């Protein structure tokens, strides 16, 4: 199991475009990937779960990854979040 925390630096936070990018990245791995913000947790492979978190710029998110390819998934998700979704 890998757990990491990030601060969302993207001006829009995690809006629809960013949620699609995150869900697509997460879906490319077989492991379970959960994303949390505040008291809410969602499946990072689900666009609606990510959008329901309503993450704004400057807010913290936690990622919990469990499974065979968790290291690779952690690297990919971290690159996405730390790059500001490539902005």
């Amino acid at each position: 199991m890998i757990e990491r925390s990030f601060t969302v630096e993207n001006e829009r936070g995690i809006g629809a475009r960013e949620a699609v990018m995150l869900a697509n990245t997460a879906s490319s791995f077989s492991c379970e990937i959960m994303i949390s913000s505040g008291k809410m947790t969602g499946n990072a492979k689900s666009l609606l779960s990510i959008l329901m978190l309503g993450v704004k710029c400057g807010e913290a998110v936690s990622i919990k990854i469990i499974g065979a390819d968790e290291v690779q998934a952690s690297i990919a998700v971290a690159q996405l979040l730390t790059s500001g979704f490539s902005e």
Side-chain angles (χ1 to χ4, degrees):
M1 178 176 67
I2 296 174
E3 289 187 69
R4 296 189 63 185
S5 295
F6 302 91
T7 299
V8 175
E9 302 290 335
N10 187 341
E11 284 183 12
R12 293 182 300 272
I14 300 181
R17 177 183 158 277
E18 296 79 16
V20 166
M21 292 173 70
L22 180 56
N24 286 342
T25 299
S27 293
S28 69
F29 298 96
S30 63
C31 58
E32 178 182 335
I33 305 174
M34 302 303 289
I35 181 170
S36 301
S37 179
K39 295 181 181 180
M40 295 182 66
T41 299
N43 182 343
K45 296 180 181 184
S46 166
L47 177 62
L48 290 177
S49 288
I50 298 167
L51 288 172
M52 288 179 59
L53 297 175
V55 180
K56 306 220 181 327
C57 181
E59 291 184 349
V61 295
S62 296
I63 302 291
K64 183 177 178 180
I65 306 172
I66 302 170
D69 54 355
E70 63 189 22
V71 173
Q72 296 87 350
S74 173
I75 292 167
V77 170
Q79 286 176 339
L80 191 62
L81 289 167
T82 58
S83 71
F85 295 89
S86 299
E87 287 192 332

